[in-house]
């Protein structure tokens, strides 16, 4: 992955960027095949899978998830890649070192200026560092589902989205939409239904990331980093697949 060009799409009020051909194409295709099998893994009850409009598969599911990915060579390799020093250092050097400039809160800006460490063991000395952990999940959204406009929690400060479009459908417009709004959101409030319509009337659309093969969309978090996924209108059988990777502050 090192050496991949980061394309800066937007800088204010928060950073949005994209990386084309993020993974080796052969590896990406294998990962896509593994992703397509995850619903039949038994990690989630069939009844839940049929009823739910949105669901995720992640380490939060516990040992069953870890056992499943350990049995899949490609998923296991991807898991190791996400938690590798190479992966962390790439984004630390290219994105995280500059992230403080997108914070308008003075005390949070000071926090972001601290030296970044990766998943430190608990220690009183951690107050001198920004202790960071990476999490990721395989996410599926069914047709007619959506993600309301919102700002992520304060502990999440960098989000990466790796898309897996369905070659059988035209789903290029199923990417993430970003908004510029004067409305501050500190507590991860989602703008549902009528609130969403009012929000969009008073906000400006900055960018909608293309939902295309092997494309990584990334953005930084501040109190104005509004984003959503518009209601999916593709086909009754369609499912939007993506891997979400989050950089989280632990302190």
């Amino acid at each position: 992955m090192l050496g991949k060009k980061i394309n800066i799409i937007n800088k204010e009020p928060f950073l949005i960027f994209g990386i084309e051909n993020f993974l080796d194409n052969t590896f990406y295709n294998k990962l896509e095949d593994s992703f397509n099998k995850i619903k039949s893994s038994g990690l989630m009850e069939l009844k839940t899978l049929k009823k739910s409009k949105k669901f995720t598969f992640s380490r939060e599911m516990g040992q069953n998830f870890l056992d499943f990915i350990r049995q899949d060579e490609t998923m296991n390799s991807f898991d190791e890649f996400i938690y590798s020093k190479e992966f962390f250092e790439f984004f630390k050097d290219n994105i995280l070192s500059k992230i403080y400039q997108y914070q308008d809160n003075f005390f949070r800006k000071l926090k972001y200026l601290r030296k970044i460490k990766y998943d430190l063991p608990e220690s009183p000395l951690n107050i001198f560092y920004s202790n960071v952990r990476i999490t990721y999940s395989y996410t599926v959204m069914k047709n007619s589902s959506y993600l309301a406009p919102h700002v992520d929690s304060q502990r999440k400060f960098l989000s990466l989205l790796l898309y897996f479009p369905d070659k059988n459908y035209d789903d290029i417009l199923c990417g993430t939409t970003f908004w510029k709004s004067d409305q501050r959101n500190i507590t991860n409030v989602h703008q549902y239904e009528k609130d969403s319509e009012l929000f969009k009337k008073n906000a400006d659309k900055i960018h909608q990331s293309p939902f295309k093969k092997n494309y990584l969309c990334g953005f930084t978090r501040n109190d104005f980093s509004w984003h959503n996924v518009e209601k999916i209108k593709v086909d009754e059988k369609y499912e939007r697949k993506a891997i979400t990777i989050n950089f989280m502050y632990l302190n």
Side-chain angles (χ1 to χ4, degrees):
M1 187 195 73
L2 291 177
K4 294 289 186 182
K5 182 181 178 181
I6 296 178
N7 300 307
I8 303 300
I9 296 164
N10 185 80
K11 292 186 176 181
E12 296 293 340
F14 57 99
L15 182 69
I16 305 169
F17 60 92
I19 302 178
E20 304 273 357
N21 298 314
F22 179 64
L23 299 174
D24 171 82
N25 280 322
T26 299
F27 182 80
Y28 172 87
N29 290 334
K30 290 181 179 179
L31 186 61
E32 183 177 32
D33 289 340
S34 296
F35 198 153
N36 290 333
K37 298 172 185 175
I38 200 169
K39 283 181 63 179
S40 59
S41 64
L43 289 170
M44 195 174 289
E45 290 184 4
L46 186 60
K47 179 174 63 176
T48 303
L49 290 171
K50 289 182 177 180
K51 184 177 179 181
S52 301
K53 283 290 185 181
K54 295 178 285 187
F55 42 87
T56 64
F57 299 89
S58 71
R59 282 177 172 241
E60 292 182 358
M61 301 179 84
Q63 191 62 43
N64 287 341
F65 176 81
L66 290 175
D67 290 342
F68 173 73
I69 63 173
R70 294 291 181 258
Q71 295 171 9
D72 186 289
E73 182 180 353
T74 304
M75 285 183 137
N76 189 53
S77 295
F78 183 75
D79 183 82
E80 292 176 348
F81 171 61
I82 292 298
Y83 292 110
S84 68
K85 182 178 179 180
E86 176 190 32
F87 184 84
F88 177 75
E89 294 289 336
F90 178 83
F91 287 100
K92 186 188 78 168
D93 294 342
N94 289 282
I95 301 295
L96 305 190
S97 60
K98 309 176 185 68
I99 201 171
Y100 72 91
Q101 65 185 301
Y102 299 101
Q103 306 304 316
D104 67 328
N105 181 289
F106 174 74
F107 293 103
R108 204 175 303 150
K109 187 181 283 283
L110 289 178
K111 173 182 174 179
Y112 279 53
L113 280 169
R114 292 184 302 183
K115 189 171 183 180
I116 295 171
K117 296 287 187 177
Y118 179 45
D119 208 6
L120 289 172
E122 289 189 15
S123 166
L125 297 177
N126 286 359
I127 62 172
F128 300 109
Y129 303 98
S130 290
N131 195 8
V132 173
R133 176 174 294 167
I134 297 174
T135 65
Y136 77 98
S137 62
Y138 293 84
T139 66
V140 179
M141 297 177 64
K142 293 183 180 180
N143 198 61
S144 79
S145 65
Y146 67 96
L147 188 60
H150 68 286
V151 170
D152 293 327
S153 66
Q154 291 185 25
R155 286 198 176 275
K156 186 191 295 186
F157 66 100
L158 177 65
S159 298
L160 307 173
L161 306 164
L162 180 61
Y163 298 139
F164 292 84
D166 190 323
K167 62 183 179 181
N168 297 312
Y169 299 100
D170 180 9
D171 55 1
I172 191 70
L173 297 179
C174 289
T176 308
T177 303
F178 300 95
W179 301 87
K180 182 177 181 180
S181 170
D182 294 331
Q183 183 175 340
R184 184 186 293 272
N185 189 343
I186 300 174
T187 57
N188 191 224
V189 173
H190 285 53
Q191 302 291 320
Y192 289 106
E193 304 301 336
K194 291 183 179 179
D195 289 337
S196 177
E197 295 176 13
L198 180 61
F199 169 82
K200 292 176 183 179
K201 286 182 180 179
N202 295 312
D204 295 318
K205 184 185 290 187
I206 299 174
H207 175 67
Q208 185 177 40
S209 57
F211 197 75
K212 59 184 181 180
K213 183 175 181 177
N214 207 1
Y215 182 77
L216 185 83
C217 170
F219 63 98
T220 58
R221 189 264 176 218
N222 62 22
D223 293 343
F224 301 94
S225 54
W226 289 94
H227 59 284
N228 75 310
V229 176
E230 298 291 346
K231 189 172 184 178
I232 299 171
K233 300 176 181 179
V234 178
D235 184 87
E236 289 183 1
K237 297 180 180 179
Y238 176 76
E239 293 182 335
R240 177 191 187 270
K241 298 183 179 71
I243 294 177
T244 303
I245 306 164
N246 299 314
F247 285 66
M248 311 287 292
Y249 272 132
L250 300 180
N251 62 339

